């Protein structure tokens, strides 16, 4: 199975008519780092105790287990991993740099819940190679906050941390892809991201 990403609705319709499966319709977004005013506290998020951020220093299975609650049945991205085994495979590939370029350790982070030392969220940023539609650089490959901690401003703080770390690292732009209908797009827009293209992500045999 291979993945085709095309912005051409005619090509997408032809592929689907020939038996390929539409996995998702998504919007690629970008922000120019220098266009964002970055207050000092963004580098040191004031997370509610006992939460803290660490490097991506846990095995993929710990991240995968935490992710399942954030992408429940009915979520627009639930199909990315329907079981713990699929989620482990997904995060192993991301952490190993096999999804969208190598992980940028200095920008990525895990959210850790202190008393149990469990993963409660992830900010996984990779160095996406340049392409015709992208000049190359940091790519928000995966972001989630466990449901018990959602709605408390933590996702926003993780994104602010990403932008501040990218500014510190001298990166010019950050990109991401958000599935059509995911309310997270509002958050990305609030932080300066804008759509640059829309793509059909299609699974094709062979
Ligand atoms: C997206 C996500 C990381 C946001 O984290 P969070 O900690 O819940 O978000 P925050 O509390 O920082 O919310 C920030 C803003 O986004 C809005 N928001 C977040 N999630 C929302 C949702 N599901 N529906 C509507 N608005 C939402 C909030 O209203 C808030 O806006 P405000 O600051 O103007 O009030 C989290 O909801 C999540 O893990 N979702 C499931 C996984 C996912 O979809 N990840 C993104 C993949 S592209």
């Amino acid at each position: 199975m291979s993945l085709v990403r095309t912005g051409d609705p005619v090509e997408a319709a032809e592929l689907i008519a020939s038996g390929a499966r539409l996995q998702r319709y998504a919007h690629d977004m970008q922000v120019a780092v220098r266009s964002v005013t970055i207050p000092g506290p963004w580098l040191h998020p004031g997370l509610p105790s006992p939460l803290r951020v660490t490097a991506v220093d846990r095995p993929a299975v710990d991240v995968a287990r935490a992710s399942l609650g954030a992408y429940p049945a009915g979520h627009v991205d639930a199909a990315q991993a329907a079981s713990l085994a699929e989620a482990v495979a997904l995060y192993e590939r991301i952490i190993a740099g096999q999804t969208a370029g190598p992980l940028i350790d200095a920008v990525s982070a895990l959210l850790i819940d202190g008393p149990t030392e469990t993963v409660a969220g992830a900010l996984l940023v990779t160095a996406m190679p340049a392409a015709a539609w992208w000049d190359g650089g940091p790519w928000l490959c995966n972001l989630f906050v466990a449901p018990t901690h959602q709605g408390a401003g933590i996702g926003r703080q993780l994104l602010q941390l990403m932008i501040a770390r990218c500014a510190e690292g001298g990166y010019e732009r950050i990109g991401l892809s958000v599935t059509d209908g995911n309310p997270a797009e509002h958050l990305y827009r609030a932080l300066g991201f804008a759509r640059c293209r829309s793509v059909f992500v299609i699974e094709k045999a062979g």
Side-chain angles (χ1 to χ4, degrees), residues 160-185:
Q160 290 170 346
L161 176 66
M162 171 183 74
I163 295 168
R165 284 180 170 180
C166 283
E168 207 179 43
Y171 294 107
E172 284 181 24
R173 74 195 67 76
I174 307 168
L176 61 85
S177 183
V178 62
T179 301
D180 188 58
N182 189 335
E185 184 173 350

Side-chain angles (χ1 to χ4, degrees), residues 9 11 15 18 20 23 34 50 54 84 93 97 101 115 120 132 134 153 168-169 174 183 190 195:
E11 184 187 0
L15 283 166
S18 70
Q23 187 195 72
R34 66 174 172 280
T54 64
L84 179 59
R93 283 197 306 273
W134 166 246
E168 207 179 43
I174 307 168
R195 286 186 187 184

Side-chain angles (χ1 to χ4, degrees), residues 32-111:
V33 175
R34 66 174 172 280
S35 72
V36 185
T37 306
I38 302 173
W42 283 18
L43 266 181
H44 306 284
L47 297 168
S49 176
L51 297 174
R52 68 177 198 281
V53 289
T54 64
V56 184
D57 56 2
R58 311 287 165 110
V61 64
D62 291 5
V63 184
R65 200 171 280 122
S67 75
L68 288 179
Y71 295 99
H75 185 285
V76 288
D77 291 324
Q80 69 177 5
S83 64
L84 179 59
E86 285 183 22
V88 171
L90 174 79
Y91 286 98
E92 278 178 348
R93 283 197 306 273
I94 294 175
I95 292 170
Q98 293 164 354
T99 299
L103 196 71
I104 308 180
D105 294 307
V107 178
S108 301
L110 294 180
L111 181 70

Side-chain angles (χ1 to χ4, degrees), residues 115-138:
T116 52
E117 283 297 304
T118 47
V119 175
L123 171 79
L124 302 178
V125 183
T126 60
M128 177 76 121
W133 49 272
W134 166 246
D135 287 341

Side-chain angles (χ1 to χ4, degrees), residues 5-6 27 29 31 33 47 76 106 112 127-128 132-133 135 156 194:
R5 288 168 61 92
T6 176
H27 309 289
M29 305 183 81
V31 67
V33 175
L47 297 168
V76 288
I112 302 294
M128 177 76 121
W133 49 272
D135 287 341
R156 179 183 288 267

